[in-house]
Amino acid sequence: MSDGQTTFTKERQEVETVVIRFVGDSGDGMQLTGTQFTAASALAGNDIGTLPDFPAEIRAPAGTLAGVSGFQLNFSRSEIFTPGDHPDVLVAMNPAALKSNLEDLPTGGMLILDQEAFNEQNLKKAGYAANPLTDGSLDRYRVFAVDITRLTTLALKDSGLSNKQVLRCKNFFTLGLMAWLYHRPIEPILAFLAERFGKNAALLDANTRAFKAGLFFGETSDLFTMQYEVPPATIAPGTYRNVTGNSALCIGLIAAAERAGLPLFLGSYPITPASDILHDLSGHKEHDVVTFQAEDEIAGVGAALGAAFGGALAVTTTSGPGIDLKSETIGLAVKTELPLIICDIQRGGPSTGLPTKTEQADLLAALYGRHGEAPAVVLAACSPADCFGTAIEAARIAIKYMTPVYLLSDGYLANGAEPWLLPKIDDLPDFRVEFRTDPSGYYPYLRDAETLSRPWVVPGTPGLEHRIGGLESEYLTGNISYAPANHEQMVRLRAKKIAGIAREIPPTKIIGAESGKVLVVGWGSTYGSITAAVRSLHRDGLSVSQVHLRHLNPLPPDLGDVLRRFEHVLVPEMNMGHLSRVLRAEYLIDAIGFNKIQGRPFKVEEIVTRVKKLVEEEA
Amino acid sequence: MSDGQTTFTKERQEVETVVIRFVGDSGDGMQLTGTQFTAASALAGNDIGTLPDFPAEIRAPAGTLAGVSGFQLNFSRSEIFTPGDHPDVLVAMNPAALKSNLEDLPTGGMLILDQEAFNEQNLKKAGYAANPLTDGSLDRYRVFAVDITRLTTLALKDSGLSNKQVLRCKNFFTLGLMAWLYHRPIEPILAFLAERFGKNAALLDANTRAFKAGLFFGETSDLFTMQYEVPPATIAPGTYRNVTGNSALCIGLIAAAERAGLPLFLGSYPITPASDILHDLSGHKEHDVVTFQAEDEIAGVGAALGAAFGGALAVTTTSGPGIDLKSETIGLAVKTELPLIICDIQRGGPSTGLPTKTEQADLLAALYGRHGEAPAVVLAACSPADCFGTAIEAARIAIKYMTPVYLLSDGYLANGAEPWLLPKIDDLPDFRVEFRTDPSGYYPYLRDAETLSRPWVVPGTPGLEHRIGGLESEYLTGNISYAPANHEQMVRLRAKKIAGIAREIPPTKIIGAESGKVLVVGWGSTYGSITAAVRSLHRDGLSVSQVHLRHLNPLPPDLGDVLRRFEHVLVPEMNMGHLSRVLRAEYLIDAIGFNKIQGRPFKVEEIVTRVKKLVEEEA
Amino acid sequence: MSIANLKEPGKLTKKDFESDQEVRWCPGCGDYAILAQVQRVLPDLGIPRENYVFVSGIGCSSRFPYYVNTYGFHTLHGRAPAIATGLKLTRPELSVWIVTGDGDALSIGGNHLIHILRRNLDVNILLFNNRIYGLTKGQYSPTSEPGKVTKSTPDGSVDNPFKPLVLALGAEATFLARTIDVEARHLQDVVRRAHAHRGASFVEILQNCNIFNDGAFNDVTDRDIKAEHQLVLEEGKPMIFGKERDKGIRMNGMRPEVVQLDSTNESEILVHDSKNPVLAYLLGHMTPPEFPTPIGVIYDVDRPVYEEGVQQQMRRAREKRGGNLDGLLKRGDVWTVS
Amino acid sequence: MSIANLKEPGKLTKKDFESDQEVRWCPGCGDYAILAQVQRVLPDLGIPRENYVFVSGIGCSSRFPYYVNTYGFHTLHGRAPAIATGLKLTRPELSVWIVTGDGDALSIGGNHLIHILRRNLDVNILLFNNRIYGLTKGQYSPTSEPGKVTKSTPDGSVDNPFKPLVLALGAEATFLARTIDVEARHLQDVVRRAHAHRGASFVEILQNCNIFNDGAFNDVTDRDIKAEHQLVLEEGKPMIFGKERDKGIRMNGMRPEVVQLDSTNESEILVHDSKNPVLAYLLGHMTPPEFPTPIGVIYDVDRPVYEEGVQQQMRRAREKRGGNLDGLLKRGDVWTVS
Ligand SMILES: Cc1ncc(C[n+]2csc(CCOP(=O)(O)OP(=O)(O)O)c2C)c(N)n1
Ligand SMILES: Cc1ncc(C[n+]2csc(CCOP(=O)(O)OP(=O)(O)O)c2C)c(N)n1
Ligand code: SF4
Ligand code: SF4
Ligand SMILES: [Mg+2]
Ligand SMILES: [Mg+2]
């Protein structure tokens, strides 16, 4: 440890990239262990990618398979894009955790176990007939059975804490051990402890002692013969923090509201995995944020629309089932041309589906899920940090074009985290809103010549009193009109306004050659896996290019040209082929779907294999 | 009049096809006039097509443009498919009615007006600066200014009715006059009057007298020099009745329930133009029909789903806004695999839109408007009478495949009427349901090897107690499962089940050559206009073929082959291109959209012109 | 869009609240009278015209905003309370009015209605109760009487109706009133009181739909008999009614009853107290033919107003935590790579 | 799927109502106790097991049907009453139970709840009120107390909560009761009474969510103090409570109050009468700390049952009009072409 107080003496081996998965009972604090290890790794200068995996039940009975909670972390000296396909190291706090995760550990992988947890009771709960520690079934792995429970208890024997409290410190013992093993900086962890338990000296002391006990156990025990080290990555200079997708989204929305000079209004109803946005924004009232937990999703989006009418940057957040319910109101926003951001943090469907799992199967619903001709803008974020930029882009478009904008994220982005190079506030686009106040020549549906947008006039503006609503409006005046030609004109105008946004979309960025055999096209959270796969394919000397879309409606104006420059277009999606369907209809290109619907992100190697197969078939 | 009591003496000219449009104030009884003229024409053996046009307001102030109500009727000696593009005869009861309809009357068209209604007050309400009867502006037409008000009043001067009641009889005077002019059988009209006013002798007498006065006025007045006659069409033998789309739909649903041996359950919430289905079915409790007017659309479809779980043939009816609201529950029906029919009587959108106008813009919402992967069957009726057969097909598929089925109709079909060759009950498909009662080997998600359908077990069946829900289920057992591979298997299974229905779709019927230059592909209510246009193009010697789809998901298995046999595929739709988008994505065929979004059906000549243009561009 | 006369609130007149749109209800509809009375009251409330917003759902009644020359939003069936909530939370200084029908508010919109009442946003809710669905041409509504024959209930309705005021009371409403379309003065007074109340004011307006439910309220609107059927509530006054003011309401145990007044029982007659929830409950339940129909302000109590609580939290957060974007970005652990 | 033992209703035991699914609530959750008591009551009601259907929405509580070995439908958040309505209308002979939470029933499902109550379908509604959203991990619900700090209200809630029983009463409920997860015997009794009631029975069950809202009902569950805080209602009995049964409820004008019992006031103590709506209103309003929490059957009156009205109309229509498909096809004017 370069600048630590402790000097370690064992041999230290450099490694490029490590994937660790921490698994344990929901009560074992694995999420905390994982995030602290992550924070330390980020500060150590590694590039990182993380994936928490929550159990579907709130608190399944301790020790059962249903109660297993996990956190996977990928840290590396080179640029990485995913939390890793397979763990190199599996840290399992009990038999259930081992059982439900072992299949992901490759032969020869490192397995760190809490020996004492493999008692009869726990083995039974996990459905083990024999103890895997002794029946030889783990022979393929490098097993380190550490007596975590006993050692933690020993370390805290005079702490004055209850037995239960003592056992709660096991995760910090484990963290200490792992910090030693991978030679992580310990200051940030100690600082975290001080902040977290600052008010409770006994707990601060106990957790610190447990942590250090783990650290020293690594150093002194014969079990481990060497330390590993992942040197810092070469990373763009700047200030970084670790951020989850939901958190980046919140900051993006607050920043967007500030850039627009508007209050931020969130109308929402809790639903996994979107709820954290409501929680997070509720804690930011100091930024002129109003959060409203409505009685249901319809009221959530309704309140947001009312706030938009009142002049706020209006947002509603939800997941799949809520998107269905909000569609009627979003149609009204389309018709009345009010700005509105609809964040859909997608999860496994259909219906209630798999609430804690990820999926990308709401794209077609976002595009087409409203009766009548109700075109809306659809954007998708591609990584946790990208949720920030996508939120700003969503707000910018919503306001400039007076339109609802869907922002698609998913469970994987929402809960996953990555280091984020903090933007400079002055570099953010400035889209300060000037509400119209001038009555001369005003009509509610007057149109800006370029954007075709109507003026935003808020109640309280003298002389501009007007009425809007869901019935078809007369061109310009906005009065109710059932005239056939007017309806056609208005339908086409609304479509044209949205289509016209394409003009602002920057040229499509192609990673790899500008033309060739295979183009992999993605959107949303598959970005990491696809990027890593394409890099890997490049390393293997294959000519594969990559395009990742943020703008899904309208599509980039040059996209058709780009697609046509490749012999094959492969579209990996965590659905049955939404984007590929859109590309086929739009460009008459035989886009090939590569579909995985398992509530889990693609593994890098899955994409690599699929692309190789495509190239081989070709040959 | 062949067998009437009255002999008419004026010259009589045979004509092929006549289109009459009756227009007047909402209070003038134009719908009644139109339907009675229609019934008489049907009994006269003509082929007919009708289109009522209701004002958007309930009762706009009398005499205003907003209050105009219309009814157009096309009757012919040859087969016809639409209510006609333009009226040959416009019967206008007041200036507002004239003003809002005159532009549709071709030069030389016949104009029959109630002279007395063109008074100063009415002219002002209609926004006429000068009286069109006298200012020469009607010179292009054959104008017959009849003093309908005065003549009716005269005819009823001793009737003892109030002035208001007398004026209400004007429409029967008009009907009498028109019946004379087109030599319609008068018995059915007299029979109708007897039934309608049977209990009120004074009204019966008055309306009969008014009707006859109109009849005799035609015969005796110098105004009209000849009668017209439209000889009977050669029509397939059988028993006919005149039927609107909504009415045919109701009968179809009742018949389907009877063929299935199930009670019929309708859960609905009123909305134009679907409400009449609720009204109609509410009057048929004797057929084991339960209708439930729910508190909203969500409860309507929810109750229907509950009824399906209980073993009814479950239906929910609505229009656009309701489709949005129902989508979450339809997703649950997809997931739990329960039979459910969702009738969407489409109207102009987006949002509240144009509630009394027609449109076809809900197709994509029916296909894709649910979060997650939630495939459902989508069918569309193509004519008022076809709503019957489509309802039966919807029920058959829903039950056989345990799936929600959308049945798309629209305002044009719902309110339009046509003669319907009554089917023989024994010819209807028999799909009597046998609920599973055998416990041995039962699993809730056991699958039929051919249909992939799960067994329908209703509560109350001993030994088969089970639970279903919206969370992902384990293959076979139906227990909650979050297992990745199981999810993928189930998603693909649900998709495969729906896709497999294609195997039952009969070979695509091509009207015209089996291959060639132009294929016109349609769905839904454009059938009439397209068919008439294609016939007309055939008469002009053009090689154009036609395909009209009832099954929109899954599509007919041979459709791709059919489409590829034509150089151009033209898709006329009353939307911005829903089906053409689907065909493009599905078959990578450059389907050309021909889109009209005016809340009105296509005119035959619009399609003729478009096809000709396509052929010319080609040349 | 008129480049409207920008008058001081005090100088506004009814005309200033008439929009340029032709009013399109059926001739004879009770909605006309309500519109006229509201347009008469608005100029007097001391609020600049541009600060009024009328939000409605869908229904004949919900066309109301088009005819009032203020800001207006004709939203979706049942959703006006939700949309008004977002508006009011964003712009608490606006005077927000919700116009709704018995179907709009009590059928599809029931949930939003009960929630806006319990939250007690400072809005005024005018429910036009014609006991029918007007716009969709005559289906029964949640206030239609049992047995009602309508298009969707040809054999008569089997639904038990809501009593709107009782439902609202159950939902924790802080202001309840009832008035009648044709009682011009009374309607104006009630609307004024509703506006004066801080919190959600719920006003049921009995409204005649002369096309689909004509005469539904004849007993309280017919000149000849209405005195026998209206119980006009006045704060602190005994509940006496009848042409001869010869009848009153008194308690018999825990149930109210109608009595013929005489010297012996005058003191037993209930005295109206709009702060008493039990009285509100009893009044909300009084229906013909057993009881006269109470009109006037039935209940009027104070409770914290939702948007004020929200505003207060925002003020406090600003004081306590500031609101600096840079700080927000750098929240938590940050590290610098150079 | 067990090829279950097809027993006579009279021979059923609790075990017959336990499904093969592992119960997955948090250890210590109040839902376990409710499940056990309901499973104990079901065998006694004389209904064949296959005729029970449990319909639920979404929430921890709504997982209930999976654990009861009868027919069950775990539907959508808030929609159980709607789905149960269609089921009951189709199959009136089934015994339909709705299991729901405070969020499911009173937030997203508020509208369906009030409508099923007003229609008075013969179903039993068990509302597990833990005053929190459990399944989504701890946001405040429409029954959370004002000022409540939760994930979505870090500065405390500014919402005024519903009183579920009062809301249900406002919605014309015919049966209201309250019980407590840990009061095994009482819970069983209340569930039995709910089942016995013809019409919609609304039962609020106070339920501890030990993870997100632990101890919300400590005052009525804590052995040491509960006697002082529970008002156990018994038909025809005076409302007396307290460890020493030394306190009672009496009316003071139109408001109830707690009094220390003595010989002078014993006769003034309110006597419970579940037919009295005003009493129900007062009891629904009694909340701590001013009052003890009433438990037991609060209200129980007769009103026509919705599905019976529907069935009757169908019977009459069949008698009057027959039901012949051919006649239906040929309704109206027909003509024959030969
Ligand atoms: C989502 C949705 N469902 C249904 C409708 C159709 N609809 C419009 S108004 C209305 C009922 C109107 O009744 P009420 O609220 O009593 O208003 P009234 O017309 O009587 O004033 C209905 C069912 C709609 N516009 N939107
Ligand atoms: C349409 C929809 N919105 C939101 C959710 C998320 N959700 C599930 S349960 C729940 C609230 C549960 O609270 P409650 O009804 O009180 O049940 P509890 O878990 O406390 O028993 C929410 C918001 C959902 N599943 N579906
Ligand atoms: S239908 Fe009834 S409520 Fe609607 S405008 Fe006409 S009279 Fe008024
Ligand atoms: S979260 Fe609360 S209500 Fe849900 S299972 Fe756990 S303890 Fe019970
Ligand atoms: Mg109404
Ligand atoms: Mg709860």
Side-chain angles (χ1 to χ4, degrees), chain A residues 20-24 28 30 89-102 105 109-119 123 128 131-139 141-152 170 173-174 177-178 181 217 223-224:
Chain A
I20 303 184
R21 190 186 293 175
F22 297 93
V23 287
D28 284 342
M30 291 297 98
V89 185
L90 182 65
V91 181
M93 301 301 280
N94 71 8
L98 177 68
K99 185 158 194 182
S100 53
N101 286 276
L102 189 60
L105 188 70
M110 188 189 281
L111 198 48
I112 298 178
L113 304 164
D114 178 5
Q115 175 146 319
E116 207 177 6
F118 283 71
N119 56 34
L123 289 167
Y128 273 115
N131 190 339
L133 290 186
T134 55
D135 71 354
S137 62
L138 302 178
D139 289 355
Y141 311 100
R142 289 183 293 143
V143 180
F144 298 87
V146 182
D147 222 341
I148 297 175
T149 304
R150 196 178 53 85
L151 291 168
T152 306
K170 277 194 302 186
F173 179 94
T174 312
L177 173 59
M178 297 307 291
L181 191 60
F217 175 79
L223 212 54
F224 297 95

Side-chain angles (χ1 to χ4, degrees), chain B residues 220-391:
Chain B
T220 51
S221 157
D222 285 348
L223 214 51
F224 298 94
T225 53
M226 64 167 100
Q227 275 185 301
Y228 299 88
E229 164 130 51
V230 178
T234 22
I235 281 178
T239 301
Y240 286 81
R241 63 179 279 197
N242 209 18
V243 77
T244 64
N246 274 352
S247 176
L249 187 51
C250 290
I251 302 171
L253 292 171
I254 294 173
E258 189 159 313
R259 298 307 277 179
L262 302 179
L264 182 66
F265 181 93
L266 174 69
S268 187
Y269 187 71
I271 188 166
T272 305
S275 308
D276 280 338
I277 305 173
L278 169 63
H279 305 160
D280 196 342
L281 287 178
S282 299
H284 286 294
K285 302 196 175 67
E286 68 275 14
H287 290 282
D288 217 359
V289 177
V290 178
T291 56
F292 172 60
Q293 179 179 317
E295 57 272 25
D296 63 14
E297 281 85 354
I298 300 178
V301 67
L305 188 61
F309 184 53
L313 177 59
V315 183
T316 191
T317 51
T318 193
S319 186
I323 281 295
D324 294 357
L325 292 168
K326 288 176 199 285
S327 50
E328 190 198 14
T329 306
I330 297 169
L332 178 62
V334 170
K335 164 58 193 64
T336 52
E337 304 185 43
L338 284 168
L340 177 67
I341 301 173
I342 307 111
C343 302
D344 178 5
I345 317 301
Q346 299 163 93
R347 65 187 212 184
S351 195
T352 313
L354 298 126
T356 55
K357 306 289 171 190
T358 197
E359 203 158 280
Q360 296 186 295
D362 297 355
L363 175 57
L364 290 174
L367 289 168
Y368 306 124
R370 295 164 295 286
H371 76 278
E373 295 297 346
V377 177
V378 182
L379 307 179
C382 74
S383 76
D386 186 51
C387 289
F388 175 84
T390 310

Side-chain angles (χ1 to χ4, degrees), chain A residues 335 337 373 443-447 469-496, chain B residues 103 348-350 353-355 357-359 576 596-600, chain C residues 21:
Chain A
K335 163 58 193 66
E337 304 186 44
E373 294 298 345
Y443 290 102
Y445 285 77
L446 196 68
R447 304 217 167 251
L471 289 163
E472 185 59 287
S473 307
E474 190 177 62
Y475 183 78
L476 222 56
T477 67
N479 293 333
I480 299 175
S481 165
Y482 302 117
N486 179 75
H487 180 47
E488 174 129 7
Q489 182 183 17
M490 293 299 279
V491 167
R492 291 195 185 272
L493 227 159
R494 286 185 289 261
K496 197 170 156 196
Chain B
E103 63 168 342
L354 298 126
K357 306 289 171 190
T358 197
E359 203 158 280
M576 292 284 276
K596 175 173 179 178
I597 320 105
Q598 305 193 354
R600 283 182 174 181
Chain C
Q21 295 300 293

